[in-house]
Structure formats: structure tokens, C-alpha cells
Amino acid sequence: MSEIVNQIADATGIDPGLAEKALGMMLGFLEKEGDDAAVQKMIAAIPGAAELISEHAGDGGGGFLSGLAGGGIMGLGQQLMGAGLGMGEITALARQTIAVAKQYAGEETVDQVVASIPGLGQFI
């Protein structure tokens, strides 16, 4: 997973520690909000993704979005801004996360995940 985090950090100019945390949060969001079958296939294909989600996005019992009013894509944005990222960095990180997911899980699977989450397509 460190190779993936470094790839994303280099591409976005974000500190690797923050990139790791944000990646875990984004993958956790996809796991919570996306099409179950497609998301599970995607997470299984990305080395270390399940562990990263567990570390940074909670245990699946509500996770990091449980305390946010509204949750969803806006809740994720609020959480990432709270971690110190600006909108431009969040957009760059989202695009890189999707690009990496496509490298490992394939375009069709990742496109299915993105299409299953209302509003996500406009951010990537």
C-alpha cells in the first residue's frame, strides 16, 4: 500500500501521511456508499485497501461518517477539509484514487462503483 500512497502523494503534491489518511477515508466512503458487489471486487483487487479502510475509515459500523449530518459525498468533503485538504487537493486526490483503483480493479468495475454513488461523477 505504501507504493500506492506514494504514487498518489507524488501525483497530487500532498504529504504522504495525509494522502494515506485521505485515501483510507475515500475508500471507506466508496465501501459504505457504493454498489456492494462492485466495491468489494475493487477493494479486494487493491493491495492493502481493506487494511487502510479499517485504519482510517472506521470498522464499517458507521465509521467516519457516522457523526456527520447528511453524510454522503458532502460529509466526505467536510471530513477531508477537516483533515487539512483544500477543494483542489480533494479533487486531485479523488481523481488519483479512481485512477489507481482502475489500475488494479479494472475500468468496468470502478466505473460501476462511481455510477452507483449519486453526485460522485462530477468530482472525478
PDB file of all heavy atoms in Angstrom, residues 28 31-32 53-54 57-64 66:
ATOM      1  N   GLY A  28     -13.071   4.109   2.206  1.00  0.00           N
ATOM      2  CA  GLY A  28     -14.121   3.798   3.168  1.00  0.00           C
ATOM      3  C   GLY A  28     -15.463   4.357   2.736  1.00  0.00           C
ATOM      4  O   GLY A  28     -16.510   3.712   2.883  1.00  0.00           O
ATOM      5  N   GLU A  31     -16.752   2.198  -0.013  1.00  0.00           N
ATOM      6  CA  GLU A  31     -17.241   0.941   0.550  1.00  0.00           C
ATOM      7  C   GLU A  31     -18.631   1.127   1.164  1.00  0.00           C
ATOM      8  O   GLU A  31     -19.512   0.287   0.998  1.00  0.00           O
ATOM      9  CB  GLU A  31     -16.270   0.433   1.608  1.00  0.00           C
ATOM     10  CG  GLU A  31     -16.707  -0.874   2.244  1.00  0.00           C
ATOM     11  CD  GLU A  31     -15.728  -1.344   3.299  1.00  0.00           C
ATOM     12  OE1 GLU A  31     -15.435  -0.590   4.237  1.00  0.00           O
ATOM     13  OE2 GLU A  31     -15.280  -2.496   3.176  1.00  0.00           O
ATOM     14  N   LYS A  32     -18.835   2.231   1.849  1.00  0.00           N
ATOM     15  CA  LYS A  32     -20.100   2.483   2.537  1.00  0.00           C
ATOM     16  C   LYS A  32     -21.221   2.851   1.572  1.00  0.00           C
ATOM     17  O   LYS A  32     -22.358   2.425   1.735  1.00  0.00           O
ATOM     18  CB  LYS A  32     -19.916   3.609   3.562  1.00  0.00           C
ATOM     19  CG  LYS A  32     -21.157   3.915   4.379  1.00  0.00           C
ATOM     20  CD  LYS A  32     -20.850   4.970   5.416  1.00  0.00           C
ATOM     21  CE  LYS A  32     -21.998   5.145   6.384  1.00  0.00           C
ATOM     22  NZ  LYS A  32     -23.059   5.978   5.907  1.00  0.00           N
ATOM     23  N   ILE A  53      -8.697   0.997   4.906  1.00  0.00           N
ATOM     24  CA  ILE A  53     -10.057   1.401   5.271  1.00  0.00           C
ATOM     25  C   ILE A  53     -10.271   1.183   6.763  1.00  0.00           C
ATOM     26  O   ILE A  53     -10.781   2.058   7.469  1.00  0.00           O
ATOM     27  CB  ILE A  53     -11.104   0.615   4.455  1.00  0.00           C
ATOM     28  CG1 ILE A  53     -11.045   1.038   2.990  1.00  0.00           C
ATOM     29  CG2 ILE A  53     -12.508   0.822   5.027  1.00  0.00           C
ATOM     30  CD1 ILE A  53     -11.821   0.130   2.048  1.00  0.00           C
ATOM     31  N   SER A  54      -9.869   0.039   7.257  1.00  0.00           N
ATOM     32  CA  SER A  54     -10.033  -0.275   8.673  1.00  0.00           C
ATOM     33  C   SER A  54      -9.308   0.740   9.551  1.00  0.00           C
ATOM     34  O   SER A  54      -9.823   1.167  10.583  1.00  0.00           O
ATOM     35  CB  SER A  54      -9.509  -1.684   8.942  1.00  0.00           C
ATOM     36  OG  SER A  54      -9.610  -2.001  10.296  1.00  0.00           O
ATOM     37  N   ALA A  57     -10.985   4.641   8.192  1.00  0.00           N
ATOM     38  CA  ALA A  57     -12.393   4.922   7.918  1.00  0.00           C
ATOM     39  C   ALA A  57     -13.330   4.188   8.859  1.00  0.00           C
ATOM     40  O   ALA A  57     -14.505   4.069   8.590  1.00  0.00           O
ATOM     41  CB  ALA A  57     -12.716   4.564   6.463  1.00  0.00           C
ATOM     42  N   GLY A  58     -12.844   3.679   9.970  1.00  0.00           N
ATOM     43  CA  GLY A  58     -13.715   3.006  10.922  1.00  0.00           C
ATOM     44  C   GLY A  58     -13.864   1.536  10.616  1.00  0.00           C
ATOM     45  O   GLY A  58     -13.246   0.988   9.722  1.00  0.00           O
ATOM     46  N   ASP A  59     -14.742   0.908  11.356  1.00  0.00           N
ATOM     47  CA  ASP A  59     -14.878  -0.540  11.262  1.00  0.00           C
ATOM     48  C   ASP A  59     -16.095  -0.984  10.463  1.00  0.00           C
ATOM     49  O   ASP A  59     -16.481  -2.144  10.528  1.00  0.00           O
ATOM     50  CB  ASP A  59     -14.924  -1.146  12.656  1.00  0.00           C
ATOM     51  CG  ASP A  59     -16.104  -0.636  13.466  1.00  0.00           C
ATOM     52  OD1 ASP A  59     -16.936   0.124  12.930  1.00  0.00           O
ATOM     53  OD2 ASP A  59     -16.195  -1.004  14.644  1.00  0.00           O
ATOM     54  N   GLY A  60     -16.736  -0.063   9.772  1.00  0.00           N
ATOM     55  CA  GLY A  60     -17.909  -0.427   8.994  1.00  0.00           C
ATOM     56  C   GLY A  60     -19.198  -0.272   9.775  1.00  0.00           C
ATOM     57  O   GLY A  60     -20.275  -0.364   9.215  1.00  0.00           O
ATOM     58  N   GLY A  61     -19.120  -0.007  11.062  1.00  0.00           N
ATOM     59  CA  GLY A  61     -20.300   0.172  11.875  1.00  0.00           C
ATOM     60  C   GLY A  61     -20.691   1.631  11.947  1.00  0.00           C
ATOM     61  O   GLY A  61     -21.093   2.126  12.988  1.00  0.00           O
ATOM     62  N   GLY A  62     -20.604   2.352  10.881  1.00  0.00           N
ATOM     63  CA  GLY A  62     -20.879   3.781  10.872  1.00  0.00           C
ATOM     64  C   GLY A  62     -19.641   4.529  10.459  1.00  0.00           C
ATOM     65  O   GLY A  62     -19.707   5.504   9.745  1.00  0.00           O
ATOM     66  N   GLY A  63     -18.505   4.072  10.938  1.00  0.00           N
ATOM     67  CA  GLY A  63     -17.222   4.625  10.510  1.00  0.00           C
ATOM     68  C   GLY A  63     -17.111   6.124  10.688  1.00  0.00           C
ATOM     69  O   GLY A  63     -17.743   6.722  11.540  1.00  0.00           O
ATOM     70  N   PHE A  64     -16.313   6.731   9.853  1.00  0.00           N
ATOM     71  CA  PHE A  64     -16.007   8.152   9.998  1.00  0.00           C
ATOM     72  C   PHE A  64     -17.167   9.048   9.624  1.00  0.00           C
ATOM     73  O   PHE A  64     -17.180  10.209   9.985  1.00  0.00           O
ATOM     74  CB  PHE A  64     -14.755   8.510   9.187  1.00  0.00           C
ATOM     75  CG  PHE A  64     -14.981   8.508   7.703  1.00  0.00           C
ATOM     76  CD1 PHE A  64     -15.263   9.673   7.028  1.00  0.00           C
ATOM     77  CD2 PHE A  64     -14.919   7.330   6.985  1.00  0.00           C
ATOM     78  CE1 PHE A  64     -15.475   9.667   5.670  1.00  0.00           C
ATOM     79  CE2 PHE A  64     -15.136   7.319   5.633  1.00  0.00           C
ATOM     80  CZ  PHE A  64     -15.414   8.488   4.967  1.00  0.00           C
ATOM     81  N   SER A  66     -20.351   8.513  10.513  1.00  0.00           N
ATOM     82  CA  SER A  66     -21.493   8.300  11.390  1.00  0.00           C
ATOM     83  C   SER A  66     -21.906   9.558  12.133  1.00  0.00           C
ATOM     84  O   SER A  66     -23.081   9.747  12.403  1.00  0.00           O
ATOM     85  CB  SER A  66     -21.194   7.175  12.389  1.00  0.00           C
ATOM     86  OG  SER A  66     -20.090   7.510  13.198  1.00  0.00           O
TER      87      SER A  66
END
